[in-house]
Amino acid sequence: MQENLRRESSFGKRVIAIVSQIPYGMVMTYGQIAAIAGNARAARIVGGIAHYGDSKLPWHRVVNRSGGLASGFPGGREYHKKLLMSEQVEFEIDKNGEAVVSLVEHLWIPEK
DNA sequence: AGTATGACATAGC
DNA sequence: AGCTATGCCATAC
């Protein structure tokens, strides 16, 4: 019970709560999660929790500001892309030629 | 116990 | 318009 709550402070708990509530076929950006959690500048923390404190949260539904997955993901971006494609998430090609999630269609906003 | 790095983002120059 | 600098919390060493 509390063992999975006492790992982080209120910010981390909020991040975990938000990420764990991302519905199927939806994605969120680190910055948005951080902003909702209370610190728009703490986007790194979201990633930090993801890397170290990750438990069972759908981090594959969490993307960076570009709409693509951040670096360091297990399996690489192609695995991530395949994963989201399995959830019927649509991808778009940005100017850099990189596959990014169509945030306009798949960006999920909690409380809404 | 203190320092360093990190799955990012925003502002400033 | 592109690069540098700073902010944030948590985990690792």
Side-chain angles (χ1 to χ4, degrees):
Chain A
M1 311 273 200
Q2 32 187 1
E3 61 262 32
N4 56 329
L5 294 177
R6 301 168 84 256
R7 295 197 313 207
E8 307 85 14
S9 305
S10 59
F11 183 84
K13 287 198 290 192
R14 239 172 293 207
V15 172
I16 291 173
I18 294 166
V19 175
S20 66
Q21 281 149 42
I22 300 177
Y24 174 94
M26 291 271 139
V27 297
M28 285 190 74
T29 70
Y30 289 98
Q32 172 134 31
I33 294 169
I36 294 168
N39 291 307
R41 306 293 174 355
R44 325 183 67 170
I45 319 325
V46 182
I49 296 168
H51 181 58
Y52 299 114
D54 151 85
S55 301
K56 45 221 161 269
L57 302 177
W59 291 112
H60 59 278
R61 291 183 187 145
V62 182
V63 296
N64 60 24
R65 192 60 177 109
S66 328
L69 186 67
S71 46
F73 192 85
R77 291 184 275 287
E78 63 181 282
Y79 178 67
H80 169 242
K81 187 167 108 181
K82 185 167 64 175
L83 208 54
L84 288 179
M85 277 179 148
S86 301
E87 302 200 345
Q88 304 179 348
V89 174
E90 295 183 87
F91 277 82
E92 219 173 297
I93 306 300
D94 70 344
K95 293 173 265 192
N96 251 358
E98 296 184 38
V100 294
V101 178
S102 302
L103 298 178
V104 185
E105 304 213 27
H106 296 283
L107 180 60
W108 179 64
I109 299 171
E111 305 182 50
K112 298 202 54 165

